[in-house]
Short mmCIF file of all heavy atoms in Angstrom, two decimals:
data_model
loop_
_atom_site.label_atom_id
_atom_site.label_comp_id
_atom_site.label_asym_id
_atom_site.label_seq_id
_atom_site.Cartn_x
_atom_site.Cartn_y
_atom_site.Cartn_z
N GLY A 106 -45.58 -16.62 29.64
CA GLY A 106 -44.19 -16.38 29.26
C GLY A 106 -43.44 -15.69 30.26
O GLY A 106 -42.31 -15.93 30.71
N GLY A 107 -44.08 -14.65 30.81
CA GLY A 107 -43.37 -13.77 31.87
C GLY A 107 -43.24 -14.56 33.13
O GLY A 107 -42.15 -14.51 33.75
N ALA A 108 -44.28 -15.40 33.53
CA ALA A 108 -44.10 -16.15 34.76
C ALA A 108 -42.99 -17.18 34.57
O ALA A 108 -42.14 -17.47 35.47
CB ALA A 108 -45.43 -16.92 35.12
N TYR A 109 -42.93 -17.86 33.39
CA TYR A 109 -41.82 -18.79 33.08
C TYR A 109 -40.46 -18.19 33.14
O TYR A 109 -39.49 -18.68 33.74
CB TYR A 109 -42.06 -19.40 31.75
CG TYR A 109 -41.08 -20.48 31.30
CD1 TYR A 109 -41.09 -21.71 31.80
CD2 TYR A 109 -40.07 -20.13 30.31
CE1 TYR A 109 -40.21 -22.65 31.38
CE2 TYR A 109 -39.17 -21.08 29.90
CZ TYR A 109 -39.21 -22.32 30.43
OH TYR A 109 -38.27 -23.21 30.00
N ALA A 110 -40.40 -17.02 32.54
CA ALA A 110 -38.99 -16.28 32.59
C ALA A 110 -38.63 -15.86 34.04
O ALA A 110 -37.44 -16.00 34.45
CB ALA A 110 -39.08 -15.05 31.61
N ALA A 111 -39.62 -15.46 34.79
CA ALA A 111 -39.41 -15.06 36.21
C ALA A 111 -38.90 -16.23 36.97
O ALA A 111 -38.10 -16.24 37.73
CB ALA A 111 -40.53 -14.45 36.78
N GLY A 112 -39.60 -17.36 36.75
CA GLY A 112 -39.25 -18.68 37.44
C GLY A 112 -37.87 -19.16 37.10
O GLY A 112 -37.00 -19.56 37.94
N TYR A 113 -37.46 -18.97 35.91
CA TYR A 113 -36.11 -19.28 35.40
C TYR A 113 -35.06 -18.44 36.05
O TYR A 113 -34.13 -19.03 36.63
CB TYR A 113 -36.01 -19.18 33.87
CG TYR A 113 -34.64 -19.32 33.28
CD1 TYR A 113 -34.08 -20.64 33.17
CD2 TYR A 113 -33.75 -18.35 32.97
CE1 TYR A 113 -32.84 -20.93 32.65
CE2 TYR A 113 -32.51 -18.48 32.42
CZ TYR A 113 -32.02 -19.89 32.34
OH TYR A 113 -30.82 -20.03 31.74
N VAL A 114 -35.33 -17.18 36.19
CA VAL A 114 -34.39 -16.23 36.78
C VAL A 114 -34.36 -16.55 38.31
O VAL A 114 -33.24 -16.57 38.87
CB VAL A 114 -34.73 -14.83 36.55
CG1 VAL A 114 -33.99 -13.82 37.39
CG2 VAL A 114 -34.66 -14.47 35.03
N VAL A 115 -35.52 -16.69 38.96
CA VAL A 115 -35.43 -16.92 40.46
C VAL A 115 -34.78 -18.29 40.75
O VAL A 115 -34.16 -18.39 41.76
CB VAL A 115 -36.93 -16.86 40.95
CG1 VAL A 115 -37.09 -17.30 42.36
CG2 VAL A 115 -37.41 -15.43 40.78
N ALA A 116 -35.05 -19.25 39.97
CA ALA A 116 -34.57 -20.69 40.23
C ALA A 116 -32.99 -20.49 40.25
O ALA A 116 -32.36 -21.30 41.12
CB ALA A 116 -35.02 -21.57 39.23
N GLY A 117 -32.43 -19.79 39.40
CA GLY A 117 -31.00 -19.62 39.45
C GLY A 117 -30.22 -20.93 39.23
O GLY A 117 -30.73 -21.80 38.59
N ASP A 118 -28.97 -20.97 39.78
CA ASP A 118 -28.17 -22.20 39.45
C ASP A 118 -27.79 -22.90 40.79
O ASP A 118 -27.00 -23.75 40.86
CB ASP A 118 -26.88 -21.89 38.66
CG ASP A 118 -26.07 -20.88 39.46
OD1 ASP A 118 -26.41 -20.30 40.46
OD2 ASP A 118 -24.96 -20.63 39.03
N LYS A 119 -28.47 -22.56 41.96
CA LYS A 119 -28.25 -23.20 43.19
C LYS A 119 -29.25 -24.48 43.33
O LYS A 119 -30.27 -24.46 42.75
CB LYS A 119 -28.44 -22.16 44.27
CG LYS A 119 -27.44 -21.09 44.13
CD LYS A 119 -27.61 -20.10 45.39
CE LYS A 119 -26.71 -18.95 45.05
NZ LYS A 119 -25.56 -18.92 45.81
N LEU A 120 -28.87 -25.33 44.20
CA LEU A 120 -29.78 -26.49 44.57
C LEU A 120 -30.92 -26.00 45.39
O LEU A 120 -30.89 -24.91 46.09
CB LEU A 120 -29.06 -27.37 45.41
CG LEU A 120 -28.08 -28.36 44.67
CD1 LEU A 120 -26.92 -28.83 45.44
CD2 LEU A 120 -28.82 -29.51 44.04
N PRO A 121 -32.19 -26.63 45.21
CA PRO A 121 -33.39 -26.31 45.99
C PRO A 121 -33.02 -26.21 47.49
O PRO A 121 -32.14 -26.94 47.96
CB PRO A 121 -34.39 -27.36 45.65
CG PRO A 121 -33.83 -27.97 44.42
CD PRO A 121 -32.37 -27.77 44.34
N ARG A 122 -33.83 -25.49 48.18
CA ARG A 122 -33.59 -25.20 49.61
C ARG A 122 -33.61 -26.46 50.50
O ARG A 122 -33.01 -26.62 51.53
CB ARG A 122 -34.36 -24.18 50.17
CG ARG A 122 -35.89 -24.46 50.27
CD ARG A 122 -36.76 -23.39 50.78
NE ARG A 122 -38.14 -23.76 50.75
CZ ARG A 122 -38.92 -23.60 49.66
NH1 ARG A 122 -38.48 -22.96 48.61
NH2 ARG A 122 -40.16 -23.88 49.61
N ASN A 123 -34.36 -27.57 50.10
CA ASN A 123 -34.57 -28.70 50.90
C ASN A 123 -33.69 -29.92 50.40
O ASN A 123 -33.82 -31.01 50.79
CB ASN A 123 -35.98 -29.18 50.89
CG ASN A 123 -36.83 -28.10 51.62
OD1 ASN A 123 -36.40 -27.42 52.52
ND2 ASN A 123 -38.12 -27.91 51.18
N ALA A 124 -32.72 -29.65 49.43
CA ALA A 124 -32.01 -30.69 48.81
C ALA A 124 -31.11 -31.28 49.80
O ALA A 124 -30.31 -30.66 50.52
CB ALA A 124 -31.31 -30.16 47.52
N SER A 125 -30.99 -32.64 49.79
CA SER A 125 -30.03 -33.47 50.65
C SER A 125 -29.72 -34.74 50.09
O SER A 125 -30.57 -35.37 49.35
CB SER A 125 -30.56 -33.47 52.07
OG SER A 125 -31.72 -34.28 52.12
N VAL A 126 -28.56 -35.31 50.51
CA VAL A 126 -28.14 -36.58 50.02
C VAL A 126 -27.88 -37.39 51.27
O VAL A 126 -26.85 -37.03 52.06
CB VAL A 126 -26.93 -36.60 49.10
CG1 VAL A 126 -26.41 -38.02 48.79
CG2 VAL A 126 -27.28 -35.89 47.81
N ASP A 127 -28.58 -38.34 51.66
CA ASP A 127 -28.45 -39.22 52.85
C ASP A 127 -28.18 -38.39 54.05
O ASP A 127 -27.27 -38.58 54.84
CB ASP A 127 -27.28 -40.20 52.53
CG ASP A 127 -27.78 -41.30 51.71
OD1 ASP A 127 -28.99 -41.66 51.60
OD2 ASP A 127 -26.86 -42.09 51.28
N GLY A 128 -29.00 -37.42 54.26
CA GLY A 128 -28.91 -36.58 55.45
C GLY A 128 -27.94 -35.36 55.34
O GLY A 128 -27.80 -34.57 56.26
N ILE A 129 -27.12 -35.24 54.29
CA ILE A 129 -26.12 -34.20 54.10
C ILE A 129 -26.94 -33.01 53.33
O ILE A 129 -27.25 -33.19 52.20
CB ILE A 129 -24.92 -34.67 53.37
CG1 ILE A 129 -24.17 -35.70 54.17
CG2 ILE A 129 -24.01 -33.35 53.12
CD1 ILE A 129 -23.10 -36.29 53.37
N ALA A 130 -27.24 -31.95 54.04
CA ALA A 130 -27.96 -30.71 53.53
C ALA A 130 -27.08 -30.09 52.43
O ALA A 130 -25.90 -29.68 52.66
CB ALA A 130 -28.34 -29.83 54.60
N LEU A 131 -27.63 -29.92 51.21
CA LEU A 131 -27.08 -29.24 50.11
C LEU A 131 -27.93 -28.03 49.60
O LEU A 131 -27.60 -27.27 48.71
CB LEU A 131 -27.03 -30.22 48.95
CG LEU A 131 -26.06 -31.48 49.18
CD1 LEU A 131 -26.15 -32.43 47.98
CD2 LEU A 131 -24.71 -31.02 49.51
N GLY A 132 -29.02 -27.72 50.29
CA GLY A 132 -29.91 -26.73 49.81
C GLY A 132 -29.22 -25.31 49.84
O GLY A 132 -28.45 -24.90 50.73
N GLY A 133 -29.42 -24.63 48.72
CA GLY A 133 -28.82 -23.23 48.52
C GLY A 133 -27.42 -23.22 48.08
O GLY A 133 -26.90 -22.15 47.86
N LEU A 134 -26.83 -24.31 47.86
CA LEU A 134 -25.39 -24.37 47.39
C LEU A 134 -25.29 -24.31 45.93
O LEU A 134 -26.24 -24.84 45.30
CB LEU A 134 -24.67 -25.63 48.07
CG LEU A 134 -24.67 -25.76 49.52
CD1 LEU A 134 -23.91 -27.13 49.91
CD2 LEU A 134 -23.90 -24.64 50.12
N ASP A 135 -24.25 -23.78 45.42
CA ASP A 135 -24.09 -23.85 43.96
C ASP A 135 -23.42 -25.15 43.57
O ASP A 135 -23.07 -25.94 44.47
CB ASP A 135 -23.32 -22.63 43.42
CG ASP A 135 -21.91 -22.53 43.83
OD1 ASP A 135 -21.37 -23.60 44.26
OD2 ASP A 135 -21.30 -21.38 43.78
#
Side-chain angles (χ1 to χ4, degrees):
Y109 179 76
Y113 175 78
V114 170
V115 170
D118 61 351
K119 298 182 186 257
L120 281 153
R122 68 181 174 273
N123 298 326
S125 65
V126 175
D127 284 342
I129 299 172
L131 301 175
L134 301 178
D135 65 23

